[in-house]
Amino acid sequence: MARILVVEDEPAIAELVAINLRHAGHEVTLAGDARQAQLEVDAVLPDLVVLDWMLPGQSGLSLAREWRGAARTRALPIIMLTARADEPDVVAGLDAGADDYVAKPFSTNALMARVRALLRRKAPQALDAAIELAGLRLDPATRRVSRRMEDRVQEVRLGPTEFRLLHFLMTHPERVHTRAQLLDRVWGDHVFIEERTVDVHVKRLRDALSAVQCAHLVETVRGAGYRISEQASAASA
Ligand code: CA
């Protein structure tokens, strides 16, 4: 399930896109113009944005360019909706920072396929694919975490926040994430929660993982944040 922001001023199109995304299991927020879209993004960073080019006031193109210029939104996956399928316009859209575009009028199936492809590429934590790292297996569909031990598979019991945290770390391995980034991406809120909360849940996650000798996979990077690494050595934990 992904958090998707749909920025579109035509209510009929916005509603059609929202219904299809919700039907696919996503959580959808709507914004009618760039200002409202910015407010939504300030509150909760979405996993993906469907952004209409032609909006009243600031255009979707200009908004995409702004997001690409800001550290927090630089990597935000964006699909641009455009009535302009002419090549120079498509190039301008991609130059402004859109990852992909769909020309209006579009088939909802085509849009959904683009959404799936972009999530797979840029926001794998929002998808249901099972992942494995250093023998640890996490399956979002069944919400199960397990590790194959010598002759059996042992399950790890995690609370919902620890599960989401582990899911995010496993889908973005080897990279260091600051506490603020984890609040943004895992909690969906970077403003109202203290960064210390992250430490509390990392500790709980490690405690749970220690039952299958995997606590050391979650590394503290001093002065920076946390990462999950296949190369982490058990000795340094
Ligand atoms: Ca429009």
Side-chain angles (χ1 to χ4, degrees):
M1 185 217 61
R3 286 188 292 250
I4 299 182
L5 173 63
V6 177
V7 190
E8 164 65 79
D9 58 309
E10 286 166 74
I13 297 178
E15 211 36 60
L16 179 70
V17 172
I19 285 169
N20 279 276
L21 289 172
R22 286 187 184 122
H23 187 72
H26 302 301
E27 191 185 303
V28 181
T29 311
L30 297 175
D33 58 27
R35 204 185 54 85
Q36 205 188 333
Q38 186 62 57
L39 288 176
E40 294 294 345
V41 165
D42 287 344
V44 177
L45 195 64
D47 295 305
L48 183 145
V49 182
V50 176
L51 177 60
D52 188 31
W53 178 313
M54 299 297 278
L55 294 169
Q58 186 184 6
S59 74
L61 193 73
S62 149
L63 183 59
R65 204 172 283 132
E66 262 181 36
W67 282 342
R68 286 296 178 253
R72 181 165 171 261
T73 47
R74 185 158 294 145
L76 197 56
I78 301 172
I79 293 180
M80 192 154 271
L81 295 182
T82 167
R84 312 173 167 205
D86 295 342
E87 196 188 353
D89 289 329
V90 167
V91 170
L94 297 175
D95 276 352
D99 296 283
D100 203 352
Y101 75 95
V102 176
K104 290 179 178 175
F106 54 86
S107 86
T108 49
N109 283 343
L111 176 61
M112 293 305 125
R114 298 292 178 89
V115 167
R116 272 196 306 279
L118 187 54
L119 286 175
R120 214 175 294 129
R121 191 149 59 86
K122 291 191 76 181
Q125 79 282 358
L127 295 173
D128 268 357
I131 17 170
E132 237 180 285
L133 186 136
L136 195 64
R137 181 185 162 85
L138 181 146
D139 186 347
T142 58
R143 297 194 71 79
R144 284 202 160 126
V145 177
S146 58
R147 187 183 183 202
R148 183 172 295 282
M149 308 294 271
E150 277 141 37
D151 53 347
R152 69 210 147 83
V153 172
Q154 189 169 332
E155 270 204 44
V156 183
R157 299 236 168 270
L158 292 178
T161 305
E162 287 73 39
F163 185 90
R164 283 205 309 277
L165 179 60
L166 181 62
H167 190 195
F168 180 77
L169 291 172
M170 286 178 77
T171 45
H172 301 81
E174 309 303 331
R175 252 177 281 171
V176 180
H177 308 282
T178 66
R179 289 166 177 82
Q181 284 167 341
L182 290 171
L183 284 176
D184 234 4
R185 307 295 301 277
V186 177
W187 276 258
D189 194 328
H190 65 122
V191 181
F192 302 110
I193 304 175
E194 285 183 64
E195 296 198 350
R196 179 159 64 81
T197 304
V198 175
D199 303 334
V200 172
H201 288 278
V202 165
K203 183 179 182 311
R204 282 189 202 154
L205 175 59
R206 283 192 182 128
D207 287 348
L209 290 178
S210 68
V212 292
Q213 284 92 56
C214 283
H216 64 279
L217 296 177
V218 181
E219 290 185 308
T220 304
V221 180
R222 205 171 289 278
Y226 295 104
R227 85 170 146 216
I228 203 162
S229 172
E230 208 147 2
Q231 276 91 54
S233 86
S236 71

